[in-house]
Amino acid sequence: MAERMMGLETEHGFYVEGLDIDQRGGVLEKVMRVARKRMVHLPACHGTGIFLANGSRFYIDTGAHPEFCTPEVDDPWQLVRYICAGDLILQRLAEETLVAEQTPEIVFHKCHVDYRDCSTWGCHENFAHRGSPNALPAQLIPHLASRLLICGAGGLDPHAHGIEFVLSPRACHLHGATCHSSTDSRGIYHFKDESLSCPGWSRLHLLCGESVMSHRAMLLKAGTTALVVAMIEGGLNPGVDVRLKMPIEAMRAFNADTTAGATGRLAAGGHMTALEIQRHYLEFAEAHLAHGCMPAWAAPLCRCWRETLDSLRRGIPAVDRMLDWAIKHSLYEERIRRRGITSQQLAFWNQVLRKFGTRRTEAPAAIPPLTAGCVLGAVETLRKFETSRSELGLAWEEVDNVLQLRAELCELEVRFSRLGPKGIFHALDRAGFLQHAVPEVTLASIEEATETPPARGRAGVRGALIRKLQGHGRYTADWSGVSDLAGRWINLSDPFPAGTPDWQPSFGEDTAGLHPARQLLERIERQYDSGEYEAAWSALNTLRQIRRQLPRPVMERTLQLTAWVQSRRGQPAEALQALDELAGGNSRDLEKVNDVISTLRFNGLVARPELMLPWVQQADELLAQSPEPPLSLRLAIPGHKAALLARTGSLAEARGMLVHAFTIGSTHNPQSRVLARNLCDLAELHRRLGDERSAEDCLERAGLIQISNRYEGDFAEFNLPRRARMIAGRAMAKSLLNQARLIQRRLGHRVGMVKTVLLQARLFPSLWHNQRRKRILLAWHRDLPMLRDCPLMNRIMAHWEDWVSGVRGEGDEDFWGM
């Protein structure tokens, strides 16, 4: 029988009682701090977070989502145990953080959409296989599109204003049959094959699914997909007869239909329902149980699969205690009945509300939700429905009841998947209402899985090594091995190692650049370039703890990156301290002086000449003495000098300096991050000198560099706000700032969000929004030293009403210098 490996990555949603969404990043840092103190672990080598003694990984992902990754397991029942163990670990961390860090109550949940701003986050499945990745999409997509019936989480269509139930809210965010990105234009099948294993193994990485609470749904989601992959690997072609002509359209039809009657068009002609497609895969698997590609657990999984499909054929009442979407559907129907709304009336209201378009995706702080007042004010739209309204005996004012009910159901969905005893699913389960359990997964086995790794496979070896090596401060873990950052590693790239491999030198002299610590530094540099400063800082902490044991070049680069990252996180004192340690009391060279200027330049909302001037003068002297200074410094230092000149009013001179730097950069390194930032500064100078066409051209050029090289943090902080200040259309300007804030929130970049929120308050004042904005800014003002020490920030907060009303200070540039 073939060996299988599978795992799950779950990004949990969370909220903190009494805190706005933009204030919660600091709480997650406290959760991670408690995890490091209380749990047996090793820090991650090539990423962020920690690997635990049960073989799993816990970290804070981009966008400030706590993510739990199960260890690799070889059967789907084991996977269910470790998913539940991860939930239990995270819930206990929340409780311990509340006590140890004196935080408000932290709530983690497994809903994967945010109904306020239409955002979504992931629950990614991983399957190791030895087949050709090119053979997977056509054979697998029909299964993925139709399995919503057995493993959809259930909920409302996040893009609709009405109460429109779907089997999978996550599926509403998919845009095509395939994709290459996990964050934009998501598809049913994801072309990602980072094997994390030795040659010969591939990894299928799926992002189309979502978390479920039902153990049966978890089992079938993983088990059926693993069987389909096994059959494809074995050359059996299980999906050839059910290939869909338009997969995403078929998936949408299946998603919107709770009766399992909707059909999808087949590539070969004809139509099939999701239930019929699932039964095709089941019968195909049953017919090939003896084939060598099938795992040992295939037969019992098929029995569970058949039992569930037979129940689905009998309708929702047969599965409304078994599968997530059906359980939620019953809860929603009960809530709707309590409101006194019939199915005919609900259909009418949904038809009306569809006329108000899809939900807008801008930041929730910028655009309030649809209200009854907005609907009732659209007289011409409502007139078209007057006859139907009259026949149903409804009053237009009752739309408020429907909108309130929708908000209540959205809240119910989050509460349904809340971790811990206060979650609705867990409460129903404790009361004996549900019938979702599988006998092989017990409370005792889940508890055991919180501490103990799987018995088979490399996760077991990893877990044992973590328990043995933790606490020594020099070891790190990864999926494919455990490293001693001084230069040794234990190779776990084989998913099924025979025993524990021996320590071996990481690399020879000819491949010294692949030293584990250097690899981690390269990852941190990529995170810094993209604006993922929180993720970079988490990874840097691993190296900082053992920097005295690292080779000197690695240690020096660690300190330099510490300065860069802490500067952008709003911690300038720690940045300067790292640079002092890097200098070691010796005379500073040009690169170190440049790093000091960068830290001082971004130590606040605007450049401060009194801090920068002596260092810029020193840089000028060193630059004159250097026969061939590096190109990066020939771009960076003129940028700093131009910022200082602009702050002191020498706009034309500053512009000339940046134009010269642009000429150098575009000739020698046209994709430079510093070049793109200089172009953004040059655009601002053009704008202030009245040349808006040149300003627009600079921002366009900078944007091309930033987008093509994934300099997302810079694009959101330096490019989009400048576009917003120049553009004439109010709606477009607002959209640009909303886009910047969404990127910054996803990256967890609070310093960038401060600037964006301040401009939103200045450009688009609103009493309700500005009160909320002020609360957020005050919290950040307390948390970030950069803001506490910034004269402009203190001035704005002390004169908030002047700021939001557009008052300009005498002799100041627009927006008090921003």
Side-chain angles (χ1 to χ4, degrees):
M1 292 293 180
E3 294 178 308
R4 300 279 119 205
M5 271 295 176
M6 63 193 78
L8 193 78
E9 311 163 27
T10 303
E11 295 178 4
H12 292 78
F14 86 106
Y15 61 91
V16 184
E17 295 292 343
L19 296 185
D20 286 308
I21 186 170
D22 294 322
Q23 299 172 274
R24 300 172 191 168
V27 175
L28 282 183
E29 293 178 16
K30 294 177 180 178
V31 172
M32 182 57 76
R33 184 158 62 231
V34 170
R36 289 191 178 101
K37 288 180 180 178
R38 305 288 178 88
M39 305 188 72
V40 177
H41 75 278
L42 287 180
C45 177
H46 295 152
T48 61
I50 55 179
F51 278 86
L52 306 181
N54 72 345
S56 62
R57 178 187 176 197
F58 173 49
Y59 68 108
I60 307 303
D61 195 18
T62 301
H65 286 288
E67 179 160 337
F68 238 103
C69 306
T70 69
E72 310 91 319
V73 298
D74 63 352
D75 75 64
W77 289 270
Q78 285 271 58
L79 187 60
V80 176
R81 293 189 194 105
Y82 281 97
I83 293 171
C84 296
D87 293 346
L88 187 56
I89 289 170
L90 195 54
Q91 172 59 24
R92 289 173 176 171
L93 280 176
E95 295 167 354
E96 292 172 2
T97 303
L98 186 147
V99 175
E101 299 284 344
Q102 300 296 301
T103 64
E105 184 178 17
I106 304 168
V107 176
F108 294 109
H109 61 84
K110 295 169 74 173
C111 176
H112 285 278
V113 297
D114 189 328
Y115 287 98
R116 299 167 305 173
D117 62 0
C118 270
S119 60
T120 182
W121 46 93
C123 176
H124 298 174
E125 303 153 69
N126 297 285
F127 300 90
H129 65 96
R130 290 182 177 273
S132 168
N134 296 330
L136 291 175
Q139 300 287 318
L140 185 60
I141 285 174
H143 170 67
L144 299 177
S146 60
R147 70 175 188 172
L148 305 180
L149 268 178
I150 56 177
C151 60
L156 300 183
D157 182 343
H159 300 299
H161 286 297
I163 300 172
E164 302 186 33
F165 191 86
V166 292
L167 302 182
S168 167
R170 170 74 170 179
C172 297
H173 287 274
L174 304 181
H175 302 291
T178 61
C179 68
H180 289 84
S181 170
S182 63
T183 56
D184 303 303
S185 300
R186 302 175 184 89
I188 301 173
Y189 182 91
H190 186 202
F191 284 108
K192 179 180 180 179
D193 183 18
E194 182 189 9
S195 72
L196 304 178
S197 299
C198 56
W201 286 94
S202 296
R203 178 170 70 112
L204 171 65
H205 181 264
L206 297 176
L207 52 80
C208 58
E210 62 210 332
S211 290
V212 287
M213 305 297 289
S214 158
H215 291 182
R216 179 182 287 251
M218 291 181 199
L219 178 72
L220 290 173
K221 176 185 175 184
T224 61
T225 305
L227 286 187
V228 176
V229 172
M231 292 187 287
I232 297 170
E233 180 181 311
L236 298 178
N237 297 325
V240 69
D241 293 330
V242 290
R243 290 180 60 185
L244 294 164
K245 186 173 182 63
M246 295 182 288
I248 194 65
E249 287 78 4
M251 189 179 205
R252 288 172 181 158
F254 300 154
N255 195 28
D257 179 35
T258 59
T259 69
T263 62
R265 186 178 176 186
L266 301 182
H271 295 75
M272 291 183 77
T273 66
L275 188 57
E276 290 168 340
I277 293 173
Q278 282 295 298
R279 193 168 291 279
H280 164 83
Y281 279 107
L282 166 64
E283 293 173 353
F284 200 100
E286 289 174 330
H288 294 88
L289 286 175
H291 194 281
C293 69
M294 299 295 268
W297 46 264
L301 193 283
C302 284
R303 287 194 292 271
C304 180
W305 195 356
R306 176 169 288 280
E307 178 186 294
T308 306
L309 295 184
D310 288 345
S311 297
L312 278 164
R313 190 169 54 184
R314 298 195 297 272
I316 293 178
V319 291
D320 67 359
R321 297 188 179 196
M322 180 190 301
L323 301 178
D324 288 67
W325 71 262
I327 299 168
K328 280 187 193 173
H329 187 271
S330 295
L331 293 174
Y332 283 21
E333 290 287 295
E334 177 60 26
R335 291 292 179 101
I336 293 169
R337 282 194 295 271
R338 287 183 191 176
R339 288 271 185 167
I341 301 175
T342 67
S343 58
Q344 190 177 15
Q345 291 170 344
L346 184 60
F348 168 78
W349 288 119
N350 284 339
Q351 188 179 12
V352 172
L353 292 172
R354 284 190 202 112
K355 292 296 182 180
F356 290 84
T358 57
R359 278 185 67 83
R360 294 158 290 189
T361 59
E362 288 89 343
I367 298 181
L370 184 67
T371 65
C374 295
V375 176
L376 296 176
V379 177
E380 290 301 317
T381 298
L382 299 185
R383 186 172 292 125
K384 301 173 184 177
F385 297 94
E386 186 58 37
T387 301
S388 299
R389 180 201 64 79
S390 179
E391 290 174 354
L392 291 170
L394 297 172
W396 284 120
E397 288 72 20
E398 292 177 57
V399 72
D400 189 49
N401 187 34
V402 177
L403 294 174
Q404 288 182 24
L405 175 58
R406 186 185 191 281
E408 183 181 323
L409 294 179
C410 292
E411 181 184 348
L412 185 150
E413 185 169 342
V414 173
R415 291 172 55 211
F416 180 88
S417 63
R418 175 176 175 172
L419 304 188
K422 295 181 181 180
I424 292 175
F425 179 90
H426 290 298
L428 292 172
D429 199 22
R430 286 198 316 275
F433 180 79
L434 303 181
Q435 298 169 353
H436 72 101
V438 291
E440 297 84 354
V441 180
T442 64
L443 292 177
S445 68
I446 292 171
E447 185 66 48
E448 181 184 18
T450 64
E451 300 281 347
T452 307
R456 295 188 69 247
R458 68 183 183 185
V461 179
R462 184 192 310 118
L465 287 169
I466 289 170
R467 193 170 293 280
K468 176 182 177 181
L469 300 174
Q470 67 94 24
H472 294 282
R474 61 179 294 165
Y475 301 102
T476 62
D478 193 21
W479 296 111
S480 56
V482 172
S483 296
D484 175 342
L485 288 180
R488 299 182 304 161
W489 77 318
I490 292 177
N491 184 353
L492 297 178
S493 61
D494 183 350
F496 295 96
T500 303
D502 295 328
W503 285 102
Q504 56 185 277
S506 294
F507 307 101
E509 292 183 4
D510 57 334
T511 55
L514 298 180
H515 185 288
R518 287 189 173 90
Q519 286 187 305
L520 181 53
L521 281 174
E522 290 174 3
R523 184 185 182 100
I524 293 168
E525 289 176 35
R526 290 194 298 270
Q527 289 169 331
Y528 176 81
D529 282 342
S530 67
E532 299 173 67
Y533 305 121
E534 295 302 321
W537 177 240
S538 178
L540 269 171
N541 274 325
T542 299
L543 292 175
R544 283 166 51 83
Q545 293 170 17
I546 60 166
R547 61 184 183 274
R548 304 295 185 191
Q549 305 168 32
L550 297 173
R552 184 169 182 80
V554 176
M555 184 269 286
E556 290 180 345
R557 187 60 172 159
T558 298
L559 288 171
Q560 185 179 43
L561 283 169
T562 296
W564 293 4
V565 170
Q566 287 297 75
S567 172
R568 306 304 293 126
R569 293 182 71 241
Q571 307 286 342
E574 294 184 18
L576 293 172
Q577 182 179 350
L579 291 174
D580 283 340
E581 185 177 345
L582 180 59
N586 299 324
S587 59
R588 299 177 183 271
D589 63 20
L590 184 57
E591 185 172 11
K592 294 182 178 64
V593 169
N594 176 65
D595 287 340
V596 172
I597 298 172
S598 296
T599 300
L600 296 175
R601 177 180 172 185
F602 297 109
N603 183 11
L605 300 179
V606 292
R608 295 168 61 183
E610 72 277 10
L611 299 178
M612 294 173 58
L613 184 57
W615 291 98
V616 169
Q617 291 171 340
Q618 186 175 350
D620 268 341
E621 295 172 5
L622 292 171
L623 201 58
Q625 297 167 10
S626 178
E628 292 186 13
L631 177 62
S632 60
L633 298 180
R634 292 167 64 193
L635 295 178
I637 291 174
H640 299 321
K641 292 175 66 177
L644 189 144
L645 288 168
R647 286 292 292 142
T648 55
S650 303
L651 302 186
E653 187 178 353
R655 180 168 65 174
M657 189 166 292
L658 287 179
V659 168
H660 179 66
F662 168 69
T663 303
I664 297 172
S666 59
T667 303
H668 294 86
N669 187 2
Q671 298 301 307
S672 164
R673 183 184 182 211
V674 178
L675 174 63
R677 187 179 289 181
N678 282 353
L679 279 168
C680 291
D681 290 341
L682 180 57
E684 180 68 3
L685 290 168
H686 281 314
R687 182 191 71 82
R688 291 177 63 182
L689 289 167
D691 186 357
E692 292 208 354
R693 177 169 295 183
S694 294
E696 292 172 0
D697 180 63
C698 285
L699 290 176
E700 182 69 25
R701 294 187 185 202
L704 290 173
I705 297 171
Q706 290 161 339
I707 292 170
S708 62
N709 292 281
R710 301 187 65 82
Y711 302 146
E712 291 186 283
D714 279 7
F715 182 63
E717 184 174 359
F718 302 112
N719 197 312
L720 290 173
R722 287 182 166 92
R723 290 174 185 262
R725 299 206 322 173
M726 285 197 312
I727 203 157
R730 179 181 176 85
M732 180 58 71
K734 184 181 290 187
S735 176
L736 290 170
L737 287 181
N738 289 332
Q739 182 185 353
R741 189 168 173 188
L742 286 173
I743 294 171
Q744 289 159 344
R745 180 185 294 162
R746 175 166 55 80
L747 296 174
H749 182 28
R750 286 193 291 175
V751 170
M753 278 193 286
V754 167
K755 298 177 181 179
T756 304
V757 171
L758 283 171
L759 288 178
Q760 285 177 320
R762 179 80 169 188
L763 291 170
F764 310 110
S766 156
L767 179 61
W768 181 82
H769 288 138
N770 284 344
Q771 288 174 342
R772 181 174 180 272
R773 289 163 178 159
K774 186 177 182 181
R775 288 197 305 272
I776 294 170
L777 290 168
L778 284 171
W780 287 335
H781 187 252
R782 289 192 299 269
D783 290 347
L784 298 176
M786 184 208 83
L787 298 179
R788 291 200 302 268
D789 299 334
C790 175
L792 177 57
M793 184 69 184
N794 292 328
R795 179 182 176 187
I796 290 173
M797 299 315 296
H799 300 86
W800 179 252
E801 297 305 321
D802 287 345
W803 176 259
V804 300
S805 63
V807 172
R808 298 186 180 184
E810 184 177 351
D812 281 350
E813 200 269 325
D814 293 352
F815 308 158
W816 290 356
M818 282 189 68

